Amino acid sequence: MTTKSAQSAKPKRGQSLRFRMLVGSLIWIVVSVAVAGWALQQLFAQHASQQFRNELNLHLNQLTGAFSLEDGTPALVVALSDPRLEQPLSGLYWQVDSLDAAGNIQQAGVLRSRSLWDQVLPAGPEPEDGKRDMLYTYDSPTLKTLEVLSRRITLSDEDEAHQYWRLVVAADQENLNEPLAHFTTMLSVALGALALGMGVASVALIAGGMRPLGRLRQKLALVRKGTASQLEGEFPNEVQPLVDEFNAVLTTNTDIVQRARTQAGNLAHAIKTPLSILENAAYNDSGQLGALVSEQVSIARRQIDYHLARARAAAAMQASGLFTPVEPAVSALVRTMQRLYVGRQLTIQAQVNPVGLSFKGEEQDLHEMLGNLLDNACKWARAQVQVTAYAEGPWVVFSVEDDGPGLSAEESIAAFKRGVRLDNQIPGSGLGLHIVAEMAELYQGSIQAERSELGGLKMALRLPGVV
């Protein structure tokens, strides 16, 4: 007879608090850093563009202040200060064009910087009404993309009419794009390092914050295994109320189970007293009525013992912190069987590995189950009985073997049925193995009948254990 153990479902990743907090933190970090990086890049780009145009305006103001007419000939009173204007194709240029009264170019490049070399800047768009300065972009295959700032002015000699001029300052946009690209790269590296550091900090904070829950889980495991009856230790203020409530539930549950067991025991004793009176009265009556009463009293006693055993097992499964050391129980049962069957000179060997192995249940239930198996083995054994107990995962396996005749496959199944006796010549009620099977099932365990290496029967009893 076998019983399938309940297996806890594997927790899904999406149901993990640690996973949710970590994913939420990382998403927030990435989004925050990305938005901050974009905002900083935009601010720097606006600042750099404004500085770039301010520089053009500064050069144009210098050019305007230095430009004059000497005897009707355009010239610069002083040279402009930026040395790049003297370097050919340096990326910074200026130029002076002669205009007619209508604003059309009469002569382009009347004066120009050395940096233009043999190039001439073409005319740009007309300035808007009321404005004398115009900013625009010019794409040149030789000079690349230029940001151009132009200004129209009017000069005249004392004896001549007004003359119109167009002053132009231009700069390569690479002078703006290169700092922007360098800043963007440095900003990305810095923000990436910041995001990585914040991510590591989040992982550490979440791991540290969840550590008390891990300790709580370990304490709960000790309670489930039966090595502790309460959740012990100090926990954070947010977790401690939960621990206190759970300990209160454990205490209440233990009290309820204890009261139920006491009431069941009292009821059994209350029933056994009138049963003993009836048994004594029937013993003195040699008639059919006395025999009938004796038989029914015996059946009633067996029923009481059977249902009390079931009640104890059910209560033990609900109780926490309950366990029974295996080695003392096995040794006591072996000594009892040696005394009961002293006349048969049986060799009864016992081995428990490890010695600290414990059964998660009532001591009386373990004696009931293992005692029935040992008694049955001693009844059928020829000369040798062997009992072993060992850990197998979360289970304690009790193996009781004898060198008797054994059982066939059909008999191995029938042996656990209620009231079945395979040989009427051997004393018994037919309830022993059935009670063992029922109690093992209540403990979510199992029992199997197999062929023993000793030649007889092997009973393998599997029960929840505490190692």
Side-chain angles (χ1 to χ4, degrees):
M1 181 176 181
T2 59
T3 303
K4 293 183 179 180
S5 61
Q7 296 181 350
S8 59
K10 185 178 180 180
K12 297 180 181 179
R13 178 173 294 179
Q15 296 176 347
S16 168
L17 288 177
R18 181 183 286 106
F19 179 77
R20 291 180 181 182
M21 294 171 66
L22 181 59
V23 170
S25 299
L26 293 180
I27 291 176
W28 176 253
I29 289 172
V30 171
V31 171
S32 301
V33 169
V35 171
W38 176 83
L40 289 174
Q41 198 274 340
Q42 292 298 312
L43 288 175
F44 182 79
Q46 292 178 8
H47 174 73
S49 298
Q50 188 61 45
Q51 288 294 104
F52 186 73
R53 290 165 185 170
N54 289 341
E55 184 181 359
L56 286 178
N57 190 63
L58 176 64
H59 289 304
L60 184 59
N61 288 336
Q62 286 185 348
L63 179 62
T64 303
F67 180 69
S68 67
L69 294 176
E70 296 181 357
D71 299 329
T73 302
L76 294 184
V77 177
V78 293
L80 301 188
S81 61
D82 198 312
R84 290 177 295 174
L85 295 171
E86 299 298 323
Q87 300 174 11
L89 304 179
S90 63
L92 181 63
Y93 317 102
W94 64 265
Q95 177 177 301
V96 177
D97 300 332
S98 174
L99 305 177
D100 59 19
N104 298 317
I105 295 179
Q106 291 180 334
Q107 182 180 355
V110 174
L111 294 175
R112 55 186 175 176
S113 65
R114 180 176 175 80
S115 57
L116 272 175
W117 199 244
D118 58 353
Q119 303 291 318
V120 176
L121 297 175
E126 292 294 325
E128 298 179 3
D129 293 342
K131 294 184 178 180
R132 63 173 184 167
D133 292 351
M134 186 65 189
L135 180 68
Y136 61 94
T137 301
Y138 167 61
D139 291 325
S140 169
T142 305
L143 302 176
K144 301 181 181 179
T145 301
L146 300 178
E147 192 87 3
V148 182
L149 182 62
S150 66
R151 176 179 296 168
R152 291 187 178 185
I153 63 173
T154 302
L155 293 177
S156 63
D157 288 339
E158 295 180 357
D159 300 331
E160 295 184 5
H162 290 288
Q163 297 185 25
Y164 302 94
W165 307 93
R166 176 173 174 264
L167 309 183
V168 179
V169 175
D172 191 344
Q173 279 193 343
E174 284 297 316
N175 295 335
L176 172 64
N177 294 336
E178 285 183 4
L180 283 178
H182 180 70
F183 175 81
T184 301
T185 300
M186 296 300 295
L187 181 65
S188 300
V189 172
L191 292 180
L194 176 63
L196 180 61
M198 294 173 65
V200 172
S202 296
V203 172
L205 287 173
I206 292 172
M210 298 296 290
R211 189 171 299 164
L213 295 182
R215 288 176 43 231
L216 179 60
R217 180 181 178 182
Q218 294 174 355
K219 299 296 183 180
L220 284 172
L222 295 178
V223 173
R224 179 181 58 82
K225 289 180 179 180
T227 56
S229 58
Q230 296 277 297
L231 296 177
E232 299 176 353
E234 295 184 357
F235 294 89
N237 294 335
E238 293 77 9
V239 181
Q240 189 63 45
L242 175 63
V243 174
D244 296 337
E245 290 295 330
F246 192 81
N247 284 336
V249 170
L250 290 176
T251 302
T252 302
N253 186 46
T254 302
D255 292 341
I256 292 173
V257 171
Q258 186 62 38
R259 285 197 298 269
R261 290 167 58 194
T262 301
Q263 291 173 1
N266 293 338
L267 178 62
H269 285 293
I271 295 175
K272 283 183 178 181
T273 299
L275 286 179
S276 298
I277 296 174
L278 289 174
E279 186 176 27
N280 292 334
Y283 180 78
N284 297 324
D285 188 349
S286 58
Q288 292 183 353
L289 179 60
L292 177 62
V293 172
S294 295
E295 180 184 356
Q296 294 303 314
V297 168
S298 178
I299 293 174
R301 284 184 182 277
R302 290 198 300 269
Q303 291 289 341
I304 290 172
D305 292 339
Y306 170 68
H307 287 290
L308 279 178
R310 286 177 58 89
R312 285 197 309 271
M317 288 303 296
Q318 297 298 323
S320 300
L322 186 64
F323 67 98
T324 301
V326 170
E327 197 277 332
V330 171
S331 299
L333 287 171
V334 168
R335 289 193 299 269
T336 301
M337 294 302 158
Q338 286 173 339
R339 294 192 189 100
L340 287 176
Y341 296 94
V342 64
R344 296 189 56 193
Q345 297 182 347
L346 294 176
T347 300
I348 304 178
Q349 297 177 336
Q351 183 179 1
V352 178
N353 185 28
V355 178
L357 193 61
S358 294
F359 156 61
K360 192 176 185 298
E362 281 277 1
E363 180 179 2
Q364 189 172 348
D365 293 338
L366 181 58
H367 280 268
E368 182 80 18
M369 291 182 282
L370 195 55
N372 270 305
L373 297 181
L374 272 171
D375 185 50
N376 190 66
C378 291
K379 288 177 181 177
W380 292 95
R382 294 188 177 94
Q384 185 178 2
V385 174
Q386 183 174 312
V387 55
T388 57
Y390 57 91
E392 190 176 89
W395 303 98
V396 179
V397 180
F398 298 91
S399 175
V400 181
E401 304 179 62
D402 62 70
D403 59 353
L407 297 176
S408 64
E410 294 78 9
E411 291 173 335
S412 296
I413 298 175
F416 298 106
K417 294 182 179 179
R418 182 177 177 82
V420 173
R421 296 180 60 192
L422 300 177
D423 192 340
N424 292 325
Q425 296 179 359
I426 301 295
S429 63
L431 290 174
L433 293 181
H434 177 71
I435 292 176
V436 174
E438 287 281 339
M439 294 180 67
E441 185 176 2
L442 286 171
Y443 278 105
Q444 299 181 355
S446 64
I447 183 171
Q448 287 181 324
E450 305 171 358
R451 190 70 180 174
S452 171
E453 294 181 358
L454 300 179
L457 182 65
K458 175 183 177 180
M459 288 290 187
L461 175 63
R462 184 187 297 266
L463 296 173
V466 180
V467 181

